[in-house]
Amino acid sequence: MEAYKCKKCGYESITSKYYCPTCRSSEFEKVDVPNSGTVYSYTTIHIAPPEYVDLAPYQVVLVELTEKLKVTGFMKERVKIGDQVMFKDVKDSAYMFERVG
Ligand SMILES: [Zn+2]
């Protein structure tokens, strides 16, 4: 998958930003980042907002893709911290992940 990297300080984000939150630079370049990463933290959602009601219960996971880049994603499967997960697709602008292996 692709991410935006600040040309000045190296800050990385999965969504495009006008200004780098670290150094205020507005120059970004697109970089390739791994499709898979490690679960950094997660929350189980039992009562979902209307747009995700058919997914519930699901996990909102914070996935560490690289040292500098963490992405918030959604998962149907139960996970725990340290699990390897892989980006699957984008559903209603949410990043869907699934467990590896
Ligand atoms: Zn920066």
Side-chain angles (χ1 to χ4, degrees), residues 4 12 16 25 29 33 36 54 60-61 72 97:
Y4 299 86
E12 290 177 354
S16 66
S25 167
E29 59 184 343
V33 293
S36 59
D54 54 340
V60 176
V61 291
T72 303
F97 282 85

Side-chain angles (χ1 to χ4, degrees), residues 59-76:
Q59 343 285 327
V60 176
V61 291
L62 188 60
V63 180
E64 191 177 64
L65 293 179
T66 70
E67 226 171 80
K68 276 180 279 186
L69 184 63
K70 293 187 185 74
V71 178
T72 303
F74 289 68
M75 290 185 69
K76 227 4 220 171

